[in-house]
Structures are given as structure tokens and as C-alpha cells.
Amino acid sequence: MGDELEKAKVNERHRARRLWMAAGLGGLGVAALPCAVLLWNTGWPVCQPLAVMLAVAGIGAVGVSFAWGGRYLPNGDTIRVENARGGYRDMVQKKRAVSMALMPVTSLYLVYRGTLGAWSIANGQGDQADWSMAALSPIISVLLLVMVAGLDNPGDKKMKRLLEDELTLSFRRDALNAALGVPMVGLLGVFALGLWRPEAAVAALPGLMFVTASASALRYWQLDRRASGG
């Protein structure tokens, strides 16, 4: 039994290392996209082909990271090792909560760029990069809300069983209630802003959507942390 556990630990370290490498590749791909936008915005003719190449490489890196990481998802050895530590289900739930809490921080710059893009568009000065960033910002907010609602793995029955116990479902309801409460206050501010300067209200909407999704994700993480005694 001890030999099997040690072998499982070796396999798990190998799997986790490969998964982190895939995640790093995906992170580089995501980071390349705003860099490509900045390179395009320089206006130099030589930089525009480089920006396109960088964007294509970034998208390709993200695609490869998903395919590569899919080969090293948690398996039987993961469950055996985590059960020996104290519970695989708790580990999965905690990592999911932490990832939702970190996503607003890692997405803050893109939302900032989206707000600037929306401002330029509302003032009639938007270019292709502004439209791209203004469209990307709401997508981030939607993805974050989808994670909180547990709709990001609709076909994964194993993950569904791990994440949908009575406690996590109560966390989800509470977090989504926070997502309903925040915009009601924010919309009043945006409405008042729109009466003063309509373009400012348009520019504020990506930020309001982001704050709404972030409040929901952080509330979920807070509830999970409190339940685990952290």
C-alpha cells in the first residue's frame, strides 16, 4: 500500500508540473494579446505586422495550452494522494474558490483598457484596438459570473459531483445575490453620470460589469475561506 502511494505521489508531481507548464504557456499567450494591441497602436508600419504575428502566436499559445493541459487533468493518482492528505473534494473546491478570487486581479488591466476604449468610442474617436478592448472587457465579466454560477463545466459530470454539494450551492446562491445587489447601486451612479456626460456613462459600464462579477467571485471565496477556517 505504501509503495502504491509513493508511486502515486511521483505521478502526481509529474502531472502537476506538466499542468503548471501548460498554464504558464497559456498565461504567456494571454499576455501577448494586450502587448500586440500596444504594438499596433504605435502606428509604425513595421510594428503592425509584428503585432499581428504576436496576436496570432498568443492565440495559438492559448490553444496549445488548453490541449496540452487537458492531458494532465486530475486523475486517480490525484485522488489517492489528496485523500491521504485529507480530502480531494476539499482541495478542488478550495482551488476553484482561489482561482475565482485571483481572476479579478489578473484581469484588471484589460478592464482598464476596455474602459479607455469605451470612452474613445463614445467620443467618436475609437479605432479597431478600442473596439477590441471594449468588447473583451464584458467577456471577462461574463466568464467570471459563469464560473461563480458553476456553468463552465456543463459536460464534466465528475467535476459537477465534486463542486455541487449542499455547502457550495449555498455559497453560489449567496455570491449571485451579491452580483444582483451591487449593480443596483452602481446603475444609480451611472445614470447620474449619464445625465452629466453620456460618454462617461458608456465608459463606466465595463467597470460596473467587472465590479459586479468581482463582488460575486470574492464573496464566494470569502464564504469558502470562512467555512474552511482560513
Side-chain angles (χ1 to χ4, degrees):
M1 185 65 179
D3 291 341
E4 291 182 1
L5 181 59
E6 288 301 319
K7 183 178 179 181
K9 288 181 178 179
V10 172
N11 292 337
E12 176 60 13
R13 285 195 294 268
H14 175 81
R15 183 199 67 80
R17 187 163 53 248
R18 296 295 188 273
L19 191 59
W20 275 110
M21 291 170 63
L25 179 62
L28 289 174
V30 171
L33 297 180
C35 292
V37 173
L38 293 175
L39 197 61
W40 181 278
N41 287 341
T42 60
W44 299 343
V46 68
C47 289
Q48 293 181 351
L50 293 176
V52 174
M53 292 169 58
L54 185 59
V56 171
I59 295 172
V62 172
V64 170
S65 72
F66 273 103
W68 188 19
R71 298 177 55 190
Y72 296 101
L73 294 176
N75 51 33
D77 290 327
T78 308
I79 297 174
R80 189 176 295 113
V81 172
E82 293 301 329
N83 282 337
R85 292 175 180 171
Y88 178 63
R89 179 190 292 271
D90 292 340
M91 183 272 292
V92 171
Q93 293 177 355
K94 181 178 180 180
K95 285 187 176 181
R96 181 179 177 83
V98 170
S99 67
M100 285 192 288
L102 291 177
M103 190 172 174
V105 179
T106 57
S107 307
L108 192 58
Y109 175 73
L110 294 179
V111 176
Y112 167 72
R113 290 285 303 169
T115 302
L116 294 181
W119 175 267
S120 298
I121 293 169
N123 281 283
Q125 301 172 351
D127 55 17
Q128 184 177 0
D130 291 325
W131 281 97
S132 299
M133 298 307 296
L136 183 60
S137 177
I139 291 174
I140 293 171
S141 302
V142 170
L143 287 176
L144 192 49
L145 283 175
V146 165
M147 287 182 66
V148 175
L151 302 176
D152 50 325
N153 289 306
D156 193 337
K157 295 182 179 179
K158 177 182 176 182
M159 189 63 66
K160 193 178 182 68
R161 288 195 303 270
L162 291 171
L163 296 175
E164 292 196 354
D165 56 22
E166 185 176 350
L167 185 61
T168 55
L169 289 176
S170 69
F171 292 169
R172 189 175 299 165
R173 285 192 296 269
D174 197 309
L176 292 176
N177 285 337
L180 291 174
V182 170
M184 295 306 297
V185 178
L187 284 173
L188 291 175
V190 171
F191 175 70
L193 194 62
L195 294 177
W196 172 55
R197 295 193 65 175
E199 64 271 21
V202 173
L205 285 174
L208 176 59
M209 287 184 281
F210 180 70
V211 169
T212 299
S214 298
S216 180
L218 291 173
R219 178 59 176 165
Y220 187 100
W221 171 73
Q222 180 190 32
L223 291 170
D224 180 83
R225 191 165 180 266
R226 184 184 301 169
S228 62

